[in-house]
């Protein structure tokens, strides 16, 4: 990586309010190419909002956000193009309920990337194979387990060949026995060198796959460190407090 | 409203007319221009005792039903003055009873209420663009007729193509009249179904004619004469009337003596020229010809 | 047997005004059918566009959509039709009263269609639209590919009510120069030709029932179909 390549994600002095609630306070964050960044923090700390501002599902009040060196465009065609390059995985999966799994995965490539139907289908099947649900291709989302749905949602995002993947608490809505099948897919993705920003409570994933851990509290980034360093020697009281709560059980 | 030059001039003339009227001149567009003519008021007429004429003459007053909103025939002005051909005919008849115009009590008589007003005795007679027909004759008696109205066509003044009902078919002209009206039935034989445009009121047809949405409005000449009078030259009537609507004087059912008396009064008025003056002062201000008094019915 | 036959004869005789003028009824029926088909297609299309405006991310469009619904939902249909039949010619737009009538019905009904569609859109969870946008679909694509197809299911029953109301409302256009529609038959036969009112109106009612009941049945089929397509 040379000095001239811009970071994949660059947020500078970003502020965001929900009414009187100040949910992002002067946030500065850079994610380099190929890096996996895990964002931790108590609920209500603003980590989900942070994630959603990067593809402008939430607009910001002040500051700048750049993806791959280009500032976020305003609502419109430009923005749609940018979003195609930024994959996103939601807590609630949000698979299109009226379409089968394969249709979910091919919709973007056909409508946005203008791929031919057969080519899109072929790529989609490869991706479904990668996430291990080829046999579910023709089912509707409601017929799948939560873990299968989330893997399908990851395949849907990957089908766009994104430059970066955003994961907004991808395992929080899953039953415990299904968490690992999703995390496995994410670890594999990280190993392949995908740039990832992951909001999660899964410490195991952070230890195994993350290059950096960012700790947020009350809308601020409080710590930004390597996982090993963060988990063994957190610098702030808030981080210590947080880790104490989730690791004691 | 599109203001073409003609309309502008027309509006200016109308405005001047309004000022003139405000200065005390007894003028009104709707009621016909000029000074109201005067008619003979017979002094001390003699009638056989017990007749309607004797009663009315004795009382020195009469209640007459007429329209209050029919330009040129029966129209009450803003100052309360009654104007129109029906009003003049009523004055002529009253004069023969020895009753002066100022002693007439005018009673508003919309079309649907005329028979009721007569049957309940709330009016002594009705002169209100009242077409004689068999159905009505079941409930009231008619003297007259004093005027032969009829259905006619109204077009924009620049229309040279439409000359009468026979020129309608094939011209593609859109013909407007009121839904469920006798005129709508009368016009059907002259046009294709697709040419017919139907509204709830004649004023809507008139507006549609003004905005080029229809080419012809058709109904009784009496109604259309009023629109022509108020159109400032925008509309004209074409062709002759093609139906017969004899206007009679409605009186209580079976009052033969009164009927004969009214017919006598009408005949005399035609002889003395009072009938003609009545027309010329009212509907005659916009109609080209002064009509003859039609042949009167026998009162039997 | 004899009394039954004479009773049936009397019933049939009662409907002579309808039977004798069945051609007029048939013409008027077809004309009304024509009006409501155009008005249904027009108001569904326009109402859907207005609904899309109302949920669009562009605030001027939202404003236009909201104003549209506010104006046309809160004005009496007669007033809207008046503006179409008499207002449009005043500003120099001339045309057949048939199309003015259809236009009035479309404008008025589109507001109600829009509200039904919007409630359908709101019934689709926000996450569906977010996911659609997140894979790079434009607003139009996410509406057309993801939101509307799902909204459609919840929207069919209320839209059915809107369209049936429109069919009944179409009886008013006869008063605005649209000749020979079903309702105006009573004016022609009763006022102008002096036939008995009640049998004629029963005939008119039957005509509307044929249209609305058929429409309702088609909607039922459609409802079952979209319920299965899941």
């Amino acid at each position: 990586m040379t000095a001239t390549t811009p970071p994949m994600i660059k947020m500078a002095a970003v502020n965001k309010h929900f009414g009187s609630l100040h949910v992002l306070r002067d946030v500065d964050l850079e994610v380099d190419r190929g890096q996996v960044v895990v964002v931790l923090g108590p609920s209500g700390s603003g980590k989900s909002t942070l994630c959603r501002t990067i593809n402008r599902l939430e607009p910001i009040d002040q500051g700048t956000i750049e993806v791959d060196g280009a500032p976020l465009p305003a609502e419109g065609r430009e923005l749609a193009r940018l979003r195609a390059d930024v994959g996103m995985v939601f807590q609630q999966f949000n698979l299109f309920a009226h379409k089968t799994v394969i249709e979910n995965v091919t919709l973007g490539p056909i409508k946005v990337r203008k791929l031919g139907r057969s080519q899109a289908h072929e790529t989609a099947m490869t991706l479904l194979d990668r996430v291990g649900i080829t046999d579910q291709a023709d089912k509707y989302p409601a017929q799948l387990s939560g873990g299968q749905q989330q893997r399908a949602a990851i395949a849907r995002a990957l089908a766009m060949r994104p430059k970066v993947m955003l994961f907004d608490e991808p395992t929080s809505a899953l039953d415990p026995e299904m968490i690992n099948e999703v995390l496995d897919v994410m670890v594999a993705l990280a190993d392949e060198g995908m740039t990832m920003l992951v909001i999660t409570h899964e410490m195991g994933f952070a230890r195994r796959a993350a290059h950096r851990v960012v700790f947020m509290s009350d809308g601020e980034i409080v710590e930004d460190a390597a996982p090993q360093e963060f988990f063994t020697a957190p610098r702030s009281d808030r981080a210590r407090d947080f880790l104490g709560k989730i690791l004691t059980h | 409203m599109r203001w073409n030059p003609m309309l502008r001039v027309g509006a200016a003339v109308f405005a001047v007319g309004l000022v003139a009227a405000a200065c005390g001149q007894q003028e009104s567009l709707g009621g016909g221009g000029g000074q109201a003519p005067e008619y003979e008021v017979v002094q001390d007429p003699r009638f056989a005792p017990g007749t309607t004429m004797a009663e009315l003459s004795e009382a020195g007053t009469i209640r007459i039903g007429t329209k209050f909103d029919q330009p040129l025939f029966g129209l009450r002005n803003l100052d309360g003055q009654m104007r129109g051909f029906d009003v003049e005919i009523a004055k002529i008849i009253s004069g023969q009873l020895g009753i002066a115009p100022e002693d007439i009590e005018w009673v508003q008589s919309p079309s649907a209420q005329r028979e009721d007003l007569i049957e309940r005795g709330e009016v002594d007679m009705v002169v209100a663009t009242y077409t004689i027909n068999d159905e009505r004759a079941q409930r009231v008696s008619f003297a007259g007729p004093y005027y032969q109205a009829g259905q006619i066509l109204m077009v924009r003044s620049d229309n040279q193509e439409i000359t009468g009902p026979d020129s309608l078919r094939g011209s593609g002209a859109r013909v407007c009249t009121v839904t469920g009206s006798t005129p709508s039935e009368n016009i059907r034989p002259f046009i294709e179904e697709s040419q017919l445009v139907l509204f709830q009121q004649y004023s809507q047809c008139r507006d549609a004619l003004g905005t080029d949405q229809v080419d012809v409005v058709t109904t009784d000449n009496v109604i259309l004469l009023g629109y022509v009078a108020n159109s400032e030259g925008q509309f004209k009537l074409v062709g002759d009337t093609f139906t017969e609507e004899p206007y009679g004087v409605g009186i209580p059912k079976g009052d033969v003596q009164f009927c004969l008396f009214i017919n006598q009064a009408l005949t005399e008025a035609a002889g003395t020229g009072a009938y003609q003056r009545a027309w010329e002062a009212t509907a005659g201000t916009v109609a080209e010809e002064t009509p003859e008094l039609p042949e009167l019915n026998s009162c039997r | 047997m004899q009394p039954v036959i004479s009773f049936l004869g009397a019933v049939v005789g009662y409907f002579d005004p309808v039977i004798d003028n069945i051609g007029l009824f048939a013409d008027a029926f077809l004309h009304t059918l024509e009006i409501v088909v155009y008005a249904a297609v027009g108001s569904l299309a326009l109402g859907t566009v207005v609904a899309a405006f109302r949920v669009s991310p562009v605030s001027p469009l939202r404003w236009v959509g909201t104003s549209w619904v506010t104006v046309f939902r809160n004005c009496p249909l007669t007033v809207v039709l008046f503006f179409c039949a008499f207002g449009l010619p005043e500003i120099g737009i001339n045309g057949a009263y048939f199309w003015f009538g259809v236009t009035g019905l479309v404008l008025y009904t589109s507001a109600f269609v829009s509200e039904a569609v919007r409630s359908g859109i709101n019934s689709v969870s926000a996450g569906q639209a977010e996911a659609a946008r997140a894979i790079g679909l434009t607003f139009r694509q996410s509406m057309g590919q993801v939101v509307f197809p799902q909204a459609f299911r919840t929207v069919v029953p209320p839209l059915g009510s809107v369209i049936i109301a429109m069919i009944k409302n179409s009886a008013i256009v006869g008063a605005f120069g649209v000749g020979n529609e079903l309702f105006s038959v009573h004016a022609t036969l009763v006022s102008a030709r002096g036939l008995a009112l009640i049998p004629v109106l029963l005939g008119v009612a039957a005509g509307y029932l044929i249209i609305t009941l058929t429409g309702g049945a088609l909607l039922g089929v459609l409802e079952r179909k979209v319920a299965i397509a899941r």
Side-chain angles (χ1 to χ4, degrees):
Chain A
M1 204 165 297
T2 63
T4 49
T5 24
M8 186 55 81
I9 299 169
K10 181 175 189 212
M11 303 176 78
V14 169
N15 277 281
K16 161 106 189 148
H17 298 77
F18 284 129
S20 60
L21 208 63
H22 200 165
V23 286
L24 293 181
R25 296 168 189 263
D26 282 322
V27 169
D28 295 303
L29 178 69
E30 290 189 9
V31 179
D32 287 328
R33 267 154 224 283
Q35 254 194 350
V36 176
V37 174
V38 164
V39 182
L40 291 175
S43 65
S45 59
K47 47 193 200 304
S48 250
T49 307
L50 174 99
C51 181
R52 292 159 57 83
T53 58
I54 294 168
N55 64 355
R56 211 173 186 272
L57 284 181
E58 296 286 357
I60 55 173
D61 301 334
Q62 285 134 34
T64 54
I65 300 177
E66 288 174 17
V67 174
D68 200 13
L72 282 191
E75 201 69 52
R77 236 161 244 291
E78 281 287 303
L79 183 61
R81 213 164 295 143
L82 175 125
R83 282 169 175 159
D85 290 340
V86 179
M88 185 156 191
V89 176
F90 299 87
Q91 183 178 352
Q92 299 295 340
F93 331 133
N94 293 345
L95 287 173
F96 305 132
H98 63 305
K99 291 186 182 294
T100 60
V101 168
I102 189 78
E103 287 169 344
N104 264 275
V105 180
T106 54
L107 181 67
I110 292 171
K111 294 290 168 188
V112 180
R113 298 285 191 227
K114 310 292 178 196
L115 250 57
R117 202 159 282 275
S118 61
Q119 197 189 343
H121 192 269
E122 207 176 303
T123 319
M125 287 312 288
T126 315
L127 286 168
L128 289 182
D129 183 40
R130 206 161 125 194
V131 300
I133 51 169
T134 34
D135 48 340
Q136 313 293 335
D138 294 320
K139 290 190 179 164
Y140 285 96
Q143 298 169 298
L144 267 55
S145 74
Q148 290 169 328
Q149 288 193 56
Q150 194 60 298
R151 284 185 280 156
I154 293 171
R156 175 176 68 181
L158 290 176
M160 301 305 293
R161 304 192 175 285
K163 295 174 180 171
V164 51
M165 288 282 286
L166 308 174
F167 291 82
D168 184 6
E169 304 203 24
T171 56
S172 301
L174 295 176
D175 292 333
E177 75 272 21
M178 294 175 184
I179 290 177
N180 278 334
E181 60 190 65
V182 172
L183 290 180
D184 288 347
V185 169
M186 290 168 64
V187 169
L189 205 54
D191 290 346
E192 285 164 29
M194 172 65 79
T195 311
M196 294 163 70
L197 183 81
V198 184
I199 317 293
T200 187
H201 294 297
E202 296 301 325
M203 301 304 144
F205 175 78
R207 281 185 217 274
R208 247 169 81 196
H211 299 108
R212 278 160 63 202
V213 168
V214 168
F215 175 72
M216 279 187 82
S217 179
D218 300 318
E220 287 175 305
I221 292 183
V222 181
E223 289 197 35
D224 185 344
Q228 194 58 28
E229 190 186 330
F230 177 76
F231 288 119
T232 51
R235 277 169 307 210
S236 65
D237 291 343
R238 280 188 281 185
R240 254 192 303 279
D241 188 39
F242 173 75
L243 286 174
K245 275 177 189 155
I246 58 169
L247 295 177
T248 44
H249 292 288
Chain B
M1 187 87 157
R2 284 165 297 172
W3 288 95
N4 65 30
M6 279 292 286
L7 267 178
R8 267 178 231 237
V9 172
V13 171
F14 184 64
V16 171
L18 278 182
V19 172
C23 293
Q25 202 152 10
Q26 298 287 320
E27 266 258 344
S28 110
L29 269 169
Q35 236 13 48
E38 309 236 323
Y39 310 103
E40 180 192 11
V41 178
V42 179
Q43 298 298 312
D44 275 334
R46 302 216 155 265
F47 298 105
T51 59
T52 308
M53 293 79 83
E55 281 170 26
L56 292 171
S57 174
E58 180 71 22
T61 174
I62 183 169
R63 296 159 307 165
I64 298 175
T66 191
K67 298 264 180 78
F68 279 20
D69 56 0
Q70 180 61 64
L72 303 175
F73 276 72
L75 185 72
R76 199 163 86 135
N77 287 350
L78 290 177
D79 58 5
Q81 291 259 346
M82 296 300 299
R83 286 292 173 137
F85 187 56
D86 284 343
V87 171
E88 300 305 312
I89 291 294
K91 285 182 192 169
I92 289 172
I93 297 167
S94 304
Q96 295 300 310
L97 289 166
I99 300 169
E102 56 270 24
D103 293 324
I104 298 171
E105 186 192 327
W106 301 102
V107 179
Q108 185 169 17
S109 308
S111 296
Q113 296 174 23
R114 291 174 299 200
E115 291 85 19
D116 281 341
L117 287 169
I118 295 169
E119 282 182 336
R120 291 203 307 264
E122 288 178 25
V123 294
D124 298 305
M125 64 182 194
V126 166
V127 194
T129 63
Y130 202 0
T131 302
I132 301 170
N133 67 29
D134 291 345
E135 200 179 272
R136 289 168 181 163
Q138 304 277 320
R139 297 173 66 184
V140 301
S141 289
F142 285 101
Y146 61 92
Y147 178 68
Q148 186 77 263
Q151 194 170 335
I152 200 165
L153 309 180
M154 179 171 81
V155 298
R156 283 181 297 277
S157 300
D158 58 7
N159 190 327
Q160 305 297 329
E161 203 184 339
I162 308 297
T163 51
D166 292 323
S167 63
L168 290 174
R169 197 189 293 276
S171 70
R174 289 150 304 175
V175 181
C176 190
T177 188
V178 162
T179 313
S181 64
T182 311
S184 73
E185 289 299 288
N186 292 336
I187 198 68
R188 278 181 209 266
F190 294 100
I191 58 174
E192 306 291 340
E193 183 67 34
S194 60
Q195 290 178 269
L196 193 58
V197 174
L198 296 170
F199 281 115
Q200 298 296 100
Q201 289 162 16
Y202 289 114
S203 57
Q204 294 172 337
C205 283
R206 176 201 57 195
D207 291 348
L209 185 64
T211 55
D212 290 359
Q213 275 291 118
V214 299
D215 306 298
V216 180
V217 178
T218 183
T219 182
D220 291 1
N221 58 345
V222 167
I223 292 169
L224 296 181
L225 275 173
Y227 290 148
V228 169
N230 283 321
S231 77
E232 287 139 25
Q234 207 191 346
F235 305 142
K236 66 179 181 186
L237 302 186
V238 287
D240 292 323
T241 57
F242 54 95
T243 63
E244 292 184 353
E245 308 281 340
Y247 285 177
V249 178
I251 55 173
K253 176 82 177 154
D255 195 341
V256 175
Q257 295 298 319
F258 195 28
C259 175
L260 290 170
F261 164 78
I262 292 170
N263 279 359
Q264 177 68 23
L266 291 172
T267 308
E268 277 176 29
T272 61
Y275 177 84
Q276 288 77 8
R277 279 187 286 130
W279 177 265
E280 278 153 18
T282 56
T285 54
V286 290
E288 285 176 12
E289 287 174 35
T290 302
E292 300 270 320
L293 181 66
E295 193 181 331
L296 303 177
N297 67 32
S298 64
C299 290
R300 299 294 165 195
Chain C
M1 201 61 202
Q2 199 57 39
V4 174
I5 289 171
S6 65
F7 173 74
L8 286 177
V11 169
V12 172
Y14 182 70
F15 287 102
D16 274 349
V18 179
I19 296 160
D20 295 347
N21 295 288
I22 197 71
L24 185 65
F25 274 95
D27 283 350
F29 174 83
L30 290 176
H31 202 220
T32 287
L33 196 59
E34 197 182 352
I35 292 167
V36 301
V37 166
Y38 280 122
V41 171
S43 56
L44 287 174
L46 186 58
T48 306
V49 171
V50 174
F53 275 23
R54 292 202 71 182
V55 299
S56 114
V58 186
S59 74
L61 288 186
R62 276 204 301 276
W63 186 85
V64 168
T66 308
S67 310
W68 184 278
V69 171
T70 306
V71 169
F72 288 110
R73 198 171 55 153
N74 294 300
C75 266
L77 174 58
T78 13
V79 173
V80 175
L81 285 168
F82 250 107
F83 274 108
C84 290
F86 296 102
L88 293 181
E90 284 282 344
I91 58 169
I93 301 172
N94 285 86
Y97 283 107
F98 176 85
W99 290 114
F100 286 158
V102 169
T103 304
L105 277 177
V106 166
L107 293 178
Y108 181 80
T109 313
S110 69
F112 294 89
V113 168
S114 162
E115 284 303 272
V117 171
R118 193 173 67 110
S119 73
I121 291 172
N122 288 342
S123 77
V124 178
S125 78
Q128 292 286 311
E130 282 187 353
R133 282 186 284 156
I135 61 167
L137 295 180
T138 61
F139 175 71
R140 284 222 336 242
Q141 286 174 323
S142 64
M143 279 289 143
Q145 294 293 324
V146 175
V147 178
F148 279 145
Q150 293 189 62
F152 190 64
R153 224 175 310 150
T154 29
V155 148
V156 169
L159 272 189
S161 307
V162 169
I163 295 303
I164 284 173
M166 182 276 288
I167 293 170
K168 294 184 287 179
N169 285 338
S170 77
I172 304 176
V173 299
F176 296 90
V178 182
N180 193 29
E181 50 78 43
L182 197 45
F183 188 66
S184 66
V185 166
H186 93 279
T188 307
L189 292 182
V190 177
S191 307
R193 296 186 196 166
L195 299 180
L197 176 65
I198 300 300
V200 170
L201 278 183
L202 286 173
V204 168
Y208 281 108
L209 283 175
I210 291 171
I211 300 177
T212 50
L213 292 181
T214 312
L218 287 177
L219 272 166
V221 172
L222 186 61
E223 234 174 278
R224 278 192 294 280
K225 240 189 155 141
V226 295
I228 294 163
R230 170 75 157 78

